[in-house]
C-alpha cells in the first residue's frame, strides 16, 4: 500500500481528521471547538447519545449512527482506516499479542497496536437534517428511467422545491472552508474549478483515492444541464485534474476513473476522480457517467443530455421516488 508523500512521524498535523481540516467552516458550534477546531484532545463526541444505528458494514468496517450532540440531531460515521505499509514495522515492533488459536502451522492472534496506529476516521454532521439521517439508513433502491419530459415535470420541480443547500460548496470555492486541502485550482470563472479530496478519503494511501473537482460556475446543476457549450469546461477539468493528480500523487490518468453522477448528491456541477480498482460508492453503471463519454456524446449531439432518457437508482425513502410513483412512472 503506497503511502502518501508526507508521513505521520514527520508531519502529524497533516493527518488530522475532519474537525481539523474544516477548521475554517463556520458551524453553529464553531466557537466551542476552539481555534484549531479540536481544542487539544477535547472530545466533542464524549456527550454523543446514540439514538439508532442507521447502517453498518463488517466488510467496509463502517458504522453510521444517528444520535444527539448537545440536544441537536447528529449523524456520526465511524470508519476503520486501511493499514499503511509505512506503519508495519512499528505495528510489529510495538504491539501486544494474545494468542487466539494454534493449529498445525496456523495461528491467530489478537493484536493490539499502539493507539496512534489504531485511528478511526470520524465524520460528524451536526446539526443533521432529516435528509442526512435518511441518507445513511439502509435502504432498498429502485431503478428509474427519466425521460426529458419526466425531468421537466417531475425531477426539476422537485430539485427546485427541495433547495438542497450547497453552502459547503460555496465555502470551498470562497476559501472559507477546506482551503488548506485544495490540491489544484483553476480560478477562471467560466472554465475554472477547485480540485480537493472528497470527505470519504482519509488521504493516508492512494488505494482509495477520491477527489472531487467543483466548478466555479454556479448555474450548472447536473449532467442534465450540460450542452456542447460546456465541452471546454469539461475538457479543462479532465486535463488539468489528471495533471494535478499525477503531480501530487504520482498516479497517471490511466489509473483514474473520472466521472459524473446522475442523480448527483448535490446540485452543483462536480466531477469525481477515483482510483481504478477502488470500488468507490456510486461508481457503478447505474449512476456513473464517464467524463470522456460525456464529452464525446456532447460532441455528437450538442443536446444529448437534454434529450436522452437517463436511468438512475433511487432509494426507497427518496422523495423523488415518491414523485415518480405519483406520476405513475413506476
Ligand atoms: C456530504 C455530499 C456532502 C454528509 C457527508 C457529506 N467533500 C460534503 C461537506 C464538505 C463534502 C465532500 C453531506 C459535505 Cl459525510 C452529508 O459532502 C465536503 N467536503 N464530499 C469535501 N471535501
Amino acid at each position: 500500500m503506497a503511502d502518501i508523500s508526507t508521513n505521520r512521524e514527520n508531519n502529524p498535523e497533516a493527518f488530522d481528521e475532519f474537525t481539523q481540516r474544516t477548521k475554517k467552516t463556520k458551524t453553529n458550534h464553531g466557537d466551542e471547538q476552539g481555534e484549531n477546531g479540536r481544542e487539544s484532545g477535547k472530545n466533542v463526541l464524549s456527550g454523543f447519545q446514540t439514538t439508532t444505528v442507521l447502517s453498518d458494514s463488517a466488510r467496509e468496517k463502517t458504522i453510521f449512527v444517528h444520535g444527539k450532540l448537545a440536544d441537536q440531531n447528529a449523524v456520526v460515521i465511524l470508519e476503520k482506516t486501511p493499514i499503511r505499509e509505512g506503519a508495519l514495522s512499528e505495528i510489529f515492533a510495538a504491539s501486544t499479542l494474545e494468542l487466539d488459536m494454534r493449529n498445525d502451522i496456523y495461528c491467530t492472534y489478537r493484536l493490539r497496536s499502539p493507539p496512534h496506529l489504531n485511528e478511526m476516521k470520524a465524520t460528524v454532521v451536526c446539526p443533521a437534517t432529516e435528509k442526512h439521517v435518511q441518507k445513511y439508513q439502509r435502504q432498498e433502491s429502485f431503478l428509474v428511467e427519466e425521460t426529458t419530459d419526466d425531468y421537466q415535470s417531475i425531477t426539476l420541480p422537485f430539485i427546485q422545491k427541495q433547495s438542497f443547500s450547497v453552502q459547503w460548496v460555496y465555502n470551498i470555492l470562497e476559501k472559507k472552508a477546506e482551503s488548506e486541502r485544495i490540491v489544484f485550482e483553476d480560478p477562471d470563472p467560466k472554465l475554472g474549478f477547485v480540485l480537493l479530496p472528497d470527505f470519504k478519503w482519509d488521504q493516508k494511501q492512494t488505494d482509495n483515492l477520491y477527489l472531487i473537482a467543483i466548478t466555479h460556475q454556479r448555474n450548472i446543476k447536473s449532467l442534465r444541464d450540460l450542452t456542447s457549450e460546456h465541452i471546454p469546461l469539461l475538457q479543462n477539468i479532465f486535463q488539468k485534474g489528471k495533471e494535478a493528480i499525477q503531480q501530487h500523487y504520482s498516479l497517471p490518468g490511466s489509473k483514474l476513473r473520472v466521472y459524473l453522477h446522475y442523480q448527483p448528491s448535490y446540485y452543483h456541477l462536480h466531477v469525481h476522480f477515483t482510483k481504478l480498482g477502488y470500488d468507490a460508492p456510486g461508481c457503478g453503471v447505474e449512476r456513473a457517467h464517464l467524463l470522456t463519454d460525456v464529452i464525446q456524446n456532447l460532441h455528437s449531439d450538442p443536446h444529448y443530455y437534454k434529450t436522452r432518457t437517463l436511468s438512475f437508482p433511487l432509494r426507497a425513502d427518496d422523495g423523488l421516488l415518491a414523485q415518480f410513483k405519483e406520476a405513475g412512472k413506476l
Side-chain angles (χ1 to χ4, degrees):
M1 208 170 278
D3 275 12
I4 285 181
S5 46
T6 32
N7 70 47
R8 174 166 262 297
E9 288 71 33
N10 297 339
N11 188 3
E13 292 310 312
F15 287 89
D16 279 313
E17 300 288 36
F18 169 74
T19 44
Q20 171 79 358
R21 292 213 172 103
T22 55
K23 63 187 172 187
K24 287 182 187 160
T25 316
K26 293 195 179 75
T27 58
N28 293 357
H29 49 257
D31 293 334
E32 297 155 28
Q33 294 188 359
E35 257 306 288
N36 63 6
R38 52 165 199 175
E39 211 163 75
S40 53
K42 186 180 163 197
N43 175 4
V44 295
L45 288 177
S46 62
F48 185 81
Q49 296 286 332
T50 299
T51 313
T52 52
V53 171
L54 298 167
S55 59
D56 61 0
S57 162
R59 201 177 66 86
E60 319 224 296
K61 304 198 172 47
T62 53
I63 188 162
F64 295 73
V65 192
H66 173 213
K68 290 260 158 151
L69 247 185
D71 275 350
Q72 287 186 308
N73 262 312
V75 171
V76 173
I77 305 164
L78 297 180
E79 177 181 359
K80 293 212 183 183
T81 54
I83 302 159
R84 286 176 300 124
E85 190 180 329
L88 282 177
S89 57
E90 211 186 337
I91 291 175
F92 292 136
S95 300
T96 62
L97 266 193
E98 230 175 276
L99 183 70
D100 235 4
M101 169 280 334
R102 189 195 298 276
N103 179 351
D104 190 42
I105 60 169
Y106 306 98
C107 297
T108 63
Y109 296 90
R110 294 188 347 200
L111 180 151
R112 255 173 265 132
S113 61
H116 70 279
L117 296 175
N118 201 13
E119 286 181 25
M120 278 188 235
K121 180 171 158 66
T123 305
V124 180
V125 184
C126 183
T129 65
E130 192 51 44
K131 252 179 277 164
H132 289 113
V133 176
Q134 247 177 37
K135 179 174 153 133
Y136 296 113
Q137 194 115 43
R138 209 188 300 281
Q139 285 285 315
E140 227 185 317
S141 44
F142 299 87
L143 200 74
V144 172
E145 287 177 28
E146 179 199 68
T147 64
T148 174
D149 288 349
D150 293 338
Y151 177 71
Q152 289 302 330
S153 65
I154 304 170
T155 310
L156 184 57
F158 179 79
I159 298 167
Q160 285 164 342
K161 193 173 78 223
Q162 291 289 309
S163 64
F164 299 101
S165 170
V166 286
Q167 187 54 50
W168 67 270
V169 171
Y170 299 153
N171 288 347
I172 290 172
L173 295 175
E174 293 165 14
K175 319 286 151 49
K176 291 177 182 164
E178 305 190 54
S179 58
E180 70 283 8
R181 286 161 49 93
I182 294 175
V183 166
F184 175 81
E185 175 173 18
D186 176 342
D188 188 274
K190 240 189 134 208
L191 301 181
F193 63 98
V194 167
L195 179 76
L196 81 171
D198 187 276
F199 252 19
K200 287 184 274 298
W201 185 33
D202 64 11
Q203 300 179 71
K204 287 181 184 169
Q205 59 286 310
T206 57
D207 300 50
N208 55 346
L209 175 135
Y210 199 141
L211 291 104
I212 43 175
I214 301 176
T215 59
H216 274 300
Q217 272 199 68
R218 297 189 177 195
N219 55 353
I220 315 169
K221 289 184 289 303
S222 74
L223 190 61
R224 272 283 186 215
D225 285 340
L226 294 176
T227 65
S228 54
E229 76 175 270
H230 299 111
I231 291 174
L233 167 69
L234 300 172
Q235 256 158 356
N236 194 47
I237 294 175
F238 190 58
Q239 286 313 323
K240 293 188 182 154
K242 280 192 303 184
E243 274 166 34
I245 291 173
Q246 165 76 64
Q247 280 269 317
H248 220 264
Y249 304 102
S250 309
L251 270 186
S254 58
K255 288 287 176 193
L256 298 174
R257 192 193 281 122
V258 187
Y259 56 100
L260 288 83
H261 278 156
Y262 193 72
Q263 299 285 329
S265 9
Y266 44 99
Y267 291 90
H268 176 113
L269 193 75
H270 58 282
V271 175
H272 304 257
F273 291 76
T274 60
K275 186 166 170 203
L276 210 62
Y278 164 48
D279 191 12
C283 80
V285 291
E286 72 274 35
R287 191 156 179 227
H289 297 253
L290 284 179
L291 184 55
T292 51
D293 288 345
V294 172
I295 292 170
Q296 283 200 70
N297 290 336
L298 292 173
H299 265 303
S300 16
D301 175 0
H303 290 102
Y304 186 94
Y305 291 101
K306 296 235 181 256
T307 54
R308 300 290 289 204
T309 293
L310 297 175
S311 295
F312 51 83
L314 287 176
R315 292 152 50 95
D317 62 8
D318 197 310
L320 186 54
L321 186 71
Q323 297 294 306
F324 270 85
K325 279 185 178 157
E326 208 168 285
K329 304 282 175 178
L330 252 160

